[in-house]
Amino acid sequence: MTPQKELVRPVEIIRRRPQYLAKKPPKIETGVLKFIPLGGCGEVTRSMYIYEYGDDIVIIDMGLQFPEEDMPGIDYLIPNIEYLIPKKKNIRGIIITHGHYDHIGAIPHLVEPLGHPPVYTMPLTRGMILKRQEDFKHLGKLSVEVIREDSKLKFGSFEVEFFRVNHNIPDSIGVILKSPAGTIVHTGDWKFDHTPVNEKPIDVERLKGIGDKGVMLLVSDSTGAKDAGRTISESEIQKNLEEIFKNAKGRIICATFSSLLTRIQQLIWLSEKYGRKVLVEGYSMKSNVAVSQELGYLKVKRGTFIGREEFETLPDEQVTIICTGAQGEDHAVMMRIANSEHKFLSLKGSDSVVFSSSVVPGNEASVQRLKDLLYKKAGKIYHSESMDIHASGHAKSEDIKDMIRLIRPRYFIPMHGNYFMLRIHAELAIEAGVKGEHVAIAEDGEIIEMNSNQFRKSKEKAPTSYVMVDGLGVGDIKEVVLRDRQMLSEDGIFVIIAVVDSQSGKIKGSPDIISRGFVYLKESRELLASARHLVKKVTEETTSQMHPINWAFLRDEIREELGKFLFRKTKRRPMVLPVIIEI
Amino acid sequence: MTPQKELVRPVEIIRRRPQYLAKKPPKIETGVLKFIPLGGCGEVTRSMYIYEYGDDIVIIDMGLQFPEEDMPGIDYLIPNIEYLIPKKKNIRGIIITHGHYDHIGAIPHLVEPLGHPPVYTMPLTRGMILKRQEDFKHLGKLSVEVIREDSKLKFGSFEVEFFRVNHNIPDSIGVILKSPAGTIVHTGDWKFDHTPVNEKPIDVERLKGIGDKGVMLLVSDSTGAKDAGRTISESEIQKNLEEIFKNAKGRIICATFSSLLTRIQQLIWLSEKYGRKVLVEGYSMKSNVAVSQELGYLKVKRGTFIGREEFETLPDEQVTIICTGAQGEDHAVMMRIANSEHKFLSLKGSDSVVFSSSVVPGNEASVQRLKDLLYKKAGKIYHSESMDIHASGHAKSEDIKDMIRLIRPRYFIPMHGNYFMLRIHAELAIEAGVKGEHVAIAEDGEIIEMNSNQFRKSKEKAPTSYVMVDGLGVGDIKEVVLRDRQMLSEDGIFVIIAVVDSQSGKIKGSPDIISRGFVYLKESRELLASARHLVKKVTEETTSQMHPINWAFLRDEIREELGKFLFRKTKRRPMVLPVIIEI
């Protein structure tokens, strides 16, 4: 037992718990800037950050979150916008930092209820937002304004500028907000890559220049704060991937995130260099590739992309397959290939399979299942645990401290992380020179108020209860529905339908039973017969002295007695639902 | 997006796919030894290995497996013993290598149907088996024979000896089986630890001596095969844990596996050295500690262990809490403490929390949730990702090759691993000198036949379909029940009950609806009214020309039309169950 995952980095996280905020700050009198995370401060996803000064509100990002294990059947979660609804006339604009779903995915659901404020973003991000909007035809057209890295906007009392960052999708930006209270730098998702692939390196001089002018608040990405050292460059990844291309004798099958456009570009270039055509498989992968190619963000030679027909005429060593499914998702392309369930692809002993991705926490078991299948059928398996063929899109601790030293903010708030990442990031900020009382951890819904003299957490909070999207329903799934789903999944359901004569109180005929997910019915005849018998008995005993019959009481009696009986016989607790038809 | 888990070890797994077995081996004529894994060859759990020679069968281990994600409600899985049932008179004995649940957990369920063959094991393992048996009072008493490291047994034509190995529970052994076909070495779970804690180091000379006498087959633990290098020693762990004890100012709260007795001993010794009393919390932890202390395997000074009352009188810096819940399990002690749901323990800012354990694949998300809670409330958090405070119980690749070089077997079969681990281990064996055609990967149920001249996979297979334990039911949960549970958990259930007059074909009154896990009922009145209306309409249309009424057809019509309607309105697909009461 006690499977393995062990010593990785010789770094300690033994730091003093910083005293983030002064304990009893005086009331703020003058103009105040408020920072309010509606998502992303408590999770590495569902990003949505609010900056509010007087009557002016700027929103940065509007992302979705995929559901957790205890939310069966839910498609995804979106930020709760109750705080904004009464103030929607104050919203001056929505800025989107980059095209990943955890930053754009809630746009179709939220822009309309917020009164259609203008959305601003870079061209590729715009393309991805509009592409996604096509899946929501009933919601109507969305207009998205294009900005450039050097655009300047005026949102009420906010002046807005941008700066380029590296991530793993082109056109990622950070935002500079100049408010009367002071200047704010909001990084978006970022890393330093001084030798990036298919984009310019982050402009360190520009960052230093921003810092030189004086920054009141830095809000920065915490995803990699827990990791020691620095994120390796995409060109390093490229070099390692090239080794695989040099050595591969048969097909190369690469699974990665469909949103990892930088990686997809690398794989296309390597394929071209080594005489391979590229087949792209997977709906989201195809869709992202189409948008980025159309907008000129993916450089692909004519004839590189092939369809199934050409693919089937080519020798193995002239083909690369780029597909979804690096997380072992059941219906994604890689799993279907591995399971021999794909309509025209199956594995060969000469294949090289490449996982150019990380494992999202929670997916480890399904990735192991996928690996088992691959090791049975494919020739060579490369993954990022054994080789540097994936780099994170996020800065690690040393880079993070450099960013803080470049910007030299008066105040610091970590964003885009689980709580533990936020806390580690807060500690890094103190190491990098920010005063302990000028660092705040704001969890979703908490409001940090500040100006040049004051920095404090408000007593007020924005609502942040989960808003779940399930099919066409947005926010209509309540706790009770989820609890029922979980209960149903544990031990199933047991419905008993009895027709009761309201005169005699006796059951007519034999009660019907519907049981699903509880026991294997074919082998449970005896149990079902006893249950029927029990219901008859309980009904007759309960009603014998009862005129008129109290139907609710009878139902409760049946539920209780039947539940106890079934538990005694099986040690399982199905949901027991008695239905009584009075005639 | 694209959360992180990255470059860990600079090792490639780019090896030729070995040709494990000669392709068309001639039929074996003379006496043959069969190796049959019934569990453990395809997963790092559910260990059960069969050695069969003529009329003699030896079983090694009898473990359970905790369910996978797609098995809602299941308690655990046990090996399928169909292969053994017709041969049960041939079973000469069951040997248990150590006391972990994945090696002992199926004993209560399997010993009886196998006709109570004698069980042999070391004293501590015996204690743990008997302790577990107490939870199965209805199964009666179990007799377990004690062996020592130097015991010699005779099981029919097998002579049996043992050798000591290191793992992370005392009394772990390997098995030597001398059969007329040749000698077999079965390692059990093992690692090399030349400076272990609370046990003797593995006896390398003895292993070499076994090898010198000539070994036909080595069957060895694959858990760590994928990991580069060597497993660090428990004394190294002890040193790092001691640093924590030296520096801690408040309470020390350590979460680990309840079966990690070696680690528990280390924590007790350190507590004694640094003037701390020890509170043990968690049912399985208490139970394991009680058994090992009673049998003398846990050395604890009088007065070290304390109960709640004494605990509450002691200052924080004189207390260590050792508890379960290092995997973020919902109801285990650590999570209850973090959630402030424990009856007398809650976190303080001065606490040091220590995770002396690895994360079992699949538990990463819940461990993150636990960490979030801890980082909010506790002072210092130590975990094995940032510090060497946990060592695996399993050998890594370099140790694994050393074992093969010591034993120098003619044939090699990897066990105790997911398929990908078995394959990597097979490749390591070839690197360590075993011929490619003498290495076989046997998945659960596959039968490898061998003698001094031949080594091949049989066409025959032992049944290995899953046997699930759910409540009192063993093996009674079939695929259909699990499928129903999954379907119920996705979109719930929608039962509609209609009383239909068999003369007129009309519905009497309004149909009843039971809906669970589908929509929030309070906000769905309109949907339910439309569904009732639809059912009336479908019933009347269907029955209007139908004499007599075909009730099955009517039910199917209602199911189909109602299912389509609900999907159109909600894009969800609940399980739709129409119930028709004819009157």
Side-chain angles (χ1 to χ4, degrees):
Chain A
M1 209 105 151
T2 63
Q4 305 322 313
K5 183 177 168 195
E6 280 160 64
L7 54 142
V8 179
R9 285 172 231 94
V11 184
E12 292 186 28
I13 303 181
I14 318 174
R15 305 195 184 94
R16 263 171 314 106
R17 202 182 177 201
Q19 285 209 301
Y20 298 117
L21 287 174
K23 268 169 195 163
K24 271 195 180 173
K27 200 166 172 346
I28 292 175
E29 300 294 327
T30 58
V32 160
L33 184 276
K34 292 183 184 178
F35 169 77
I36 312 149
L38 295 183
C41 284
E43 52 282 312
V44 189
T45 179
R46 191 169 29 107
S47 294
M48 183 163 172
Y49 307 96
I50 309 301
Y51 293 91
E52 185 175 16
Y53 183 87
D55 286 343
D56 298 315
I57 289 176
V58 178
I59 298 174
I60 299 186
D61 292 338
M62 215 172 241
L64 62 74
Q65 172 178 5
F66 290 105
E68 309 202 356
E69 287 153 41
D70 56 355
M71 303 172 185
I74 297 299
D75 299 337
Y76 48 83
L77 287 82
I78 58 177
N80 186 323
I81 53 168
E82 278 178 58
Y83 177 83
L84 291 172
I85 291 292
K87 302 184 172 192
K88 62 184 177 184
K89 68 169 186 10
N90 297 354
I91 302 173
R92 305 288 163 239
I94 300 169
I95 297 164
I96 305 296
T97 59
H98 64 285
H100 285 161
Y101 272 21
D102 62 332
H103 295 258
I104 69 168
I107 293 176
H109 304 289
L110 300 184
V111 166
E112 195 196 355
L114 291 178
H116 284 283
V119 179
Y120 295 84
T121 194
M122 297 284 280
L124 175 63
T125 312
R126 179 175 182 272
M128 301 189 80
I129 293 170
L130 295 180
K131 183 83 187 173
R132 178 165 158 85
Q133 196 72 9
E134 289 173 13
D135 295 340
F136 296 85
K137 294 232 183 323
H138 60 291
L139 294 179
K141 276 242 164 168
L142 187 71
S143 93
V144 179
E145 309 297 321
V146 177
I147 53 169
R148 298 188 317 179
E149 199 183 304
D150 58 358
S151 295
K152 293 185 182 190
L153 304 174
K154 183 108 174 94
F155 283 176
S157 54
F158 286 99
E159 287 171 36
V160 188
E161 295 182 24
F162 306 96
F163 58 96
R164 187 175 67 243
V165 296
N166 297 120
H167 186 37
N168 46 28
I169 183 168
D171 268 1
S172 297
I173 50 161
V175 184
I176 304 164
L177 294 175
K178 293 181 185 162
S179 81
T183 297
I184 301 133
V185 173
H186 180 105
T187 62
D189 290 9
W190 69 278
K191 64 174 169 178
F192 287 139
D193 193 341
H194 303 296
T195 52
V197 168
N198 197 28
E199 61 180 12
K200 285 187 276 183
I202 198 163
D203 187 344
V204 175
E205 281 308 305
R206 170 118 163 88
L207 292 174
K208 194 170 164 301
I210 297 166
D212 287 343
K213 288 182 196 148
V215 171
M216 177 177 68
L217 171 68
L218 173 65
V219 178
S220 181
D221 173 9
S222 311
T223 319
K226 65 185 188 310
D227 301 315
R230 299 181 184 278
T231 303
I232 54 171
S233 171
E234 289 295 334
S235 47
E236 187 69 22
I237 303 303
Q238 173 98 355
K239 214 174 64 191
N240 293 327
L241 287 172
E242 182 154 3
E243 285 303 307
I244 298 175
F245 276 77
K246 267 187 202 157
N247 295 318
K249 300 277 175 278
R251 303 182 303 185
I252 296 178
I253 306 176
C254 299
T256 186
F257 297 105
S258 66
S259 58
L260 225 67
L261 285 171
T262 307
R263 197 61 42 74
I264 295 171
Q265 176 72 76
Q266 290 168 316
L267 295 168
I268 291 168
W269 279 339
L270 287 169
S271 299
E272 288 170 345
K273 181 165 177 187
Y274 288 90
R276 290 173 183 267
K277 304 284 184 183
V278 175
L279 179 78
V280 175
E281 275 291 298
Y283 175 78
S284 56
M285 185 76 88
K286 280 182 174 171
S287 149
N288 287 346
V289 163
V291 172
S292 352
Q293 199 186 2
E294 198 184 306
L295 296 174
Y297 285 83
L298 212 53
K299 280 116 195 158
V300 191
K301 286 192 185 147
R302 265 181 65 169
T304 292
F305 281 149
I306 52 171
R308 174 177 176 178
E309 271 154 51
E310 191 176 348
F311 168 80
E312 286 176 344
T313 66
L314 285 172
D316 287 353
E317 68 276 16
Q318 292 176 23
V319 176
T320 303
I321 298 156
I322 305 179
C323 65
T324 55
Q327 302 300 308
E329 306 96 320
D330 260 358
H331 300 293
V333 178
M334 195 67 242
M335 188 59 103
R336 281 191 280 133
I337 296 176
N339 266 330
S340 308
E341 283 172 359
H342 191 277
K343 53 184 185 302
F344 62 95
L345 293 170
S346 60
L347 288 171
K348 299 182 183 180
S350 55
D351 289 335
S352 298
V353 176
V354 182
F355 284 85
S356 188
S357 62
S358 55
V359 180
V360 175
N363 292 344
E364 287 77 0
S366 46
V367 170
Q368 279 207 348
R369 277 196 292 276
L370 176 57
K371 272 196 201 168
D372 280 346
L373 290 167
L374 294 173
Y375 272 79
K376 277 182 205 176
K377 297 176 182 168
K380 293 173 187 170
I381 323 285
Y382 303 85
H383 44 80
S384 57
E385 280 159 46
S386 54
M387 233 184 135
D388 284 345
I389 51 175
H390 174 69
S392 166
H394 303 272
K396 297 188 177 176
S397 52
E398 292 306 317
D399 296 319
I400 278 177
K401 284 189 280 183
D402 282 350
M403 174 65 95
I404 296 167
R405 290 188 196 110
L406 284 167
I407 301 295
R408 285 152 288 148
R410 185 170 170 80
Y411 307 130
F412 177 79
I413 302 176
M415 68 165 169
H416 204 270
N418 281 55
Y419 187 91
F420 77 93
M421 301 170 190
L422 302 180
R423 181 171 154 192
I424 293 170
H425 197 177
E427 288 159 355
L428 291 175
I430 294 167
E431 275 183 48
V434 186
K435 284 187 191 159
E437 65 270 27
H438 286 177
V439 175
I441 294 182
E443 290 187 78
D444 292 342
E446 290 189 323
I447 299 174
I448 309 292
E449 298 175 333
M450 73 202 81
N451 60 20
S452 55
N453 303 313
Q454 306 292 344
F455 184 65
R456 65 167 199 187
K457 198 171 278 188
S458 165
K459 277 176 196 157
E460 194 196 354
K461 278 189 86 173
T464 51
S465 57
Y466 282 145
V467 179
M468 302 184 211
V469 177
D470 182 9
L472 291 182
V474 177
D476 69 330
I477 293 283
K478 308 287 175 191
E479 276 298 307
V480 57
V481 178
L482 284 188
R483 265 205 314 277
D484 281 349
R485 286 184 187 175
Q486 282 184 299
M487 189 172 168
L488 289 166
S489 79
E490 286 293 310
D491 285 325
I493 191 166
F494 195 91
V495 184
I496 190 137
I497 300 123
V499 180
V500 179
D501 186 314
S502 53
Q503 291 307 312
S504 66
K506 292 216 159 135
I507 287 188
K508 297 196 69 162
S510 178
D512 275 329
I513 286 172
I514 302 177
S515 157
R516 291 288 185 280
F518 166 50
V519 292
Y520 187 53
L521 294 178
K522 283 195 185 152
E523 292 175 2
S524 309
R525 293 221 176 96
E526 205 181 309
L527 180 74
L528 301 188
S530 310
R532 279 196 190 89
H533 182 76
L534 177 81
V535 170
K536 277 195 158 181
K537 194 167 138 259
V538 172
T539 305
E540 282 163 25
E541 284 174 11
T542 308
T543 57
S544 68
Q545 303 300 324
M546 202 184 248
H547 298 290
I549 294 169
N550 180 338
W551 298 102
F553 181 80
L554 174 58
R555 245 197 321 272
D556 288 348
E557 280 292 299
I558 294 178
R559 181 184 291 119
E560 177 151 348
E561 291 303 319
L562 192 54
K564 278 197 249 168
F565 168 79
L566 295 176
F567 182 72
R568 203 168 59 238
K569 289 290 184 187
T570 65
K571 289 274 183 289
R572 299 174 199 164
R573 296 191 190 279
M575 185 183 281
V576 174
L577 295 175
V579 179
I580 298 173
I581 315 276
E582 335 161 10
I583 55 163
Chain B
M1 207 107 156
T2 63
Q4 305 321 315
K5 184 177 167 196
E6 281 159 66
L7 54 143
V8 181
R9 286 171 230 94
V11 184
E12 293 185 28
I13 302 178
I14 317 175
R15 304 193 185 95
R16 262 172 316 103
R17 198 176 183 206
Q19 286 210 301
Y20 298 115
L21 286 172
K23 267 171 195 162
K24 272 195 180 176
K27 199 167 172 351
I28 292 173
E29 302 293 329
T30 57
V32 161
L33 183 277
K34 292 182 185 178
F35 168 76
I36 312 149
L38 296 183
C41 284
E43 53 281 312
V44 189
T45 179
R46 191 168 31 106
S47 294
M48 182 165 173
Y49 307 96
I50 309 301
Y51 293 90
E52 183 174 17
Y53 183 88
D55 286 343
D56 297 317
I57 289 174
V58 178
I59 298 172
I60 300 186
D61 291 337
M62 216 172 242
L64 62 75
Q65 172 178 4
F66 290 105
E68 309 201 355
E69 287 154 40
D70 55 354
M71 302 173 184
I74 297 299
D75 298 338
Y76 48 82
L77 288 79
I78 57 176
N80 186 323
I81 54 168
E82 279 177 57
Y83 177 85
L84 291 171
I85 291 293
K87 301 182 171 192
K88 62 185 179 183
K89 66 170 190 3
N90 297 353
I91 301 171
R92 304 290 161 240
I94 300 169
I95 298 165
I96 306 295
T97 58
H98 65 284
H100 286 161
Y101 272 20
D102 62 331
H103 294 258
I104 69 169
I107 293 175
H109 305 288
L110 300 184
V111 166
E112 193 195 358
L114 291 177
H116 284 283
V119 179
Y120 295 85
T121 196
M122 299 283 282
L124 176 63
T125 313
R126 178 175 183 273
M128 301 190 80
I129 293 170
L130 295 179
K131 184 83 188 171
R132 178 166 156 84
Q133 196 72 11
E134 289 173 13
D135 295 339
F136 297 85
K137 295 236 180 329
H138 60 290
L139 294 178
K141 275 240 166 173
L142 185 72
S143 95
V144 179
E145 309 296 323
V146 177
I147 53 169
R148 300 189 317 180
E149 195 182 307
D150 57 359
S151 293
K152 294 187 182 191
L153 304 174
K154 183 108 174 91
F155 284 174
S157 54
F158 287 97
E159 289 172 33
V160 188
E161 296 182 22
F162 305 95
F163 58 98
R164 184 174 71 243
V165 295
N166 296 119
H167 186 36
N168 45 28
I169 183 169
D171 268 2
S172 297
I173 51 161
V175 184
I176 304 163
L177 294 175
K178 294 182 184 162
S179 81
T183 297
I184 300 132
V185 174
H186 179 104
T187 62
D189 291 7
W190 70 278
K191 64 175 169 179
F192 287 138
D193 192 342
H194 304 296
T195 52
V197 168
N198 196 28
E199 60 181 11
K200 284 186 276 182
I202 199 164
D203 187 344
V204 174
E205 281 309 305
R206 168 117 162 87
L207 291 174
K208 194 169 167 301
I210 296 166
D212 288 342
K213 287 183 196 149
V215 171
M216 176 175 70
L217 171 68
L218 172 64
V219 177
S220 181
D221 173 8
S222 310
T223 319
K226 67 184 188 309
D227 301 316
R230 299 180 185 280
T231 303
I232 54 172
S233 170
E234 289 295 335
S235 46
E236 187 69 23
I237 303 303
Q238 173 99 357
K239 215 174 64 193
N240 293 327
L241 287 172
E242 183 154 3
E243 285 304 308
I244 298 174
F245 275 77
K246 266 188 205 158
N247 295 317
K249 301 278 175 277
R251 304 182 303 184
I252 295 177
I253 306 177
C254 299
T256 187
F257 297 105
S258 65
S259 57
L260 224 67
L261 284 172
T262 307
R263 196 62 40 75
I264 296 170
Q265 176 71 77
Q266 288 167 317
L267 295 168
I268 292 168
W269 278 340
L270 286 170
S271 299
E272 288 169 345
K273 182 164 174 186
Y274 288 89
R276 289 173 183 266
K277 303 284 184 183
V278 175
L279 178 79
V280 175
E281 273 294 297
Y283 175 78
S284 57
M285 185 77 86
K286 280 183 173 168
S287 149
N288 287 346
V289 163
V291 171
S292 350
Q293 197 185 4
E294 197 185 307
L295 297 173
Y297 285 83
L298 211 53
K299 280 116 195 158
V300 190
K301 286 192 186 148
R302 263 180 67 170
T304 292
F305 281 148
I306 53 172
R308 174 178 176 176
E309 272 153 53
E310 191 174 350
F311 168 80
E312 287 174 345
T313 66
L314 284 172
D316 287 353
E317 68 276 14
Q318 292 177 23
V319 175
T320 302
I321 298 156
I322 306 180
C323 66
T324 55
Q327 302 299 308
E329 307 96 319
D330 261 357
H331 300 293
V333 178
M334 195 66 243
M335 188 59 103
R336 281 191 279 132
I337 296 176
N339 266 329
S340 310
E341 284 172 359
H342 191 278
K343 52 184 185 301
F344 61 95
L345 293 170
S346 59
L347 288 171
K348 298 183 183 181
S350 55
D351 289 337
S352 298
V353 177
V354 182
F355 285 83
S356 189
S357 62
S358 54
V359 180
V360 175
N363 292 344
E364 287 79 1
S366 46
V367 170
Q368 279 207 348
R369 276 196 292 277
L370 176 56
K371 272 195 201 168
D372 280 345
L373 290 167
L374 294 173
Y375 272 78
K376 278 181 207 179
K377 299 175 181 170
K380 293 174 188 174
I381 322 285
Y382 302 84
H383 44 80
S384 57
E385 281 159 46
S386 53
M387 234 184 133
D388 285 345
I389 52 175
H390 173 70
S392 167
H394 304 272
K396 296 189 178 178
S397 52
E398 292 306 316
D399 296 320
I400 277 178
K401 284 190 280 184
D402 282 351
M403 173 65 95
I404 296 167
R405 290 189 197 109
L406 285 167
I407 301 293
R408 285 151 287 148
R410 185 171 171 79
Y411 309 129
F412 177 78
I413 302 176
M415 68 166 169
H416 205 270
N418 280 54
Y419 187 92
F420 77 93
M421 300 171 190
L422 302 179
R423 183 171 150 192
I424 294 170
H425 197 176
E427 288 159 355
L428 291 175
I430 294 167
E431 275 183 48
V434 184
K435 286 186 190 163
E437 65 269 28
H438 286 178
V439 175
I441 294 183
E443 290 186 79
D444 292 342
E446 291 190 322
I447 299 174
I448 309 290
E449 299 175 332
M450 73 202 81
N451 62 19
S452 55
N453 303 313
Q454 306 292 346
F455 184 65
R456 66 167 199 185
K457 197 171 277 187
S458 167
K459 279 175 197 157
E460 194 195 356
K461 280 188 84 171
T464 51
S465 56
Y466 283 145
V467 179
M468 302 183 214
V469 177
D470 182 10
L472 290 181
V474 178
D476 68 330
I477 292 281
K478 307 289 175 189
E479 275 299 306
V480 58
V481 178
L482 284 188
R483 264 204 314 276
D484 282 348
R485 286 183 186 175
Q486 281 183 299
M487 191 171 166
L488 289 166
S489 78
E490 286 291 310
D491 285 325
I493 192 166
F494 194 92
V495 184
I496 190 138
I497 300 122
V499 180
V500 178
D501 185 314
S502 55
Q503 292 306 310
S504 68
K506 295 220 157 129
I507 288 186
K508 296 195 72 160
S510 178
D512 276 329
I513 287 173
I514 302 177
S515 157
R516 289 289 186 279
F518 166 49
V519 290
Y520 186 53
L521 294 178
K522 283 194 186 154
E523 293 175 0
S524 311
R525 294 220 175 99
E526 205 181 310
L527 180 75
L528 301 187
S530 308
R532 280 196 190 88
H533 181 75
L534 178 83
V535 169
K536 275 195 159 181
K537 194 168 137 256
V538 171
T539 306
E540 283 165 24
E541 284 174 11
T542 308
T543 57
S544 70
Q545 303 298 324
M546 204 183 242
H547 299 290
I549 293 170
N550 180 338
W551 298 101
F553 180 81
L554 175 60
R555 244 196 323 271
D556 289 348
E557 280 292 298
I558 295 177
R559 180 185 290 117
E560 180 153 344
E561 291 303 317
L562 192 54
K564 277 197 251 171
F565 168 79
L566 295 175
F567 182 70
R568 203 168 58 237
K569 290 288 185 190
T570 64
K571 288 276 182 289
R572 299 176 198 163
R573 295 189 190 283
M575 186 183 278
V576 174
L577 295 175
V579 179
I580 297 174
I581 314 275
E582 335 162 8
I583 56 161

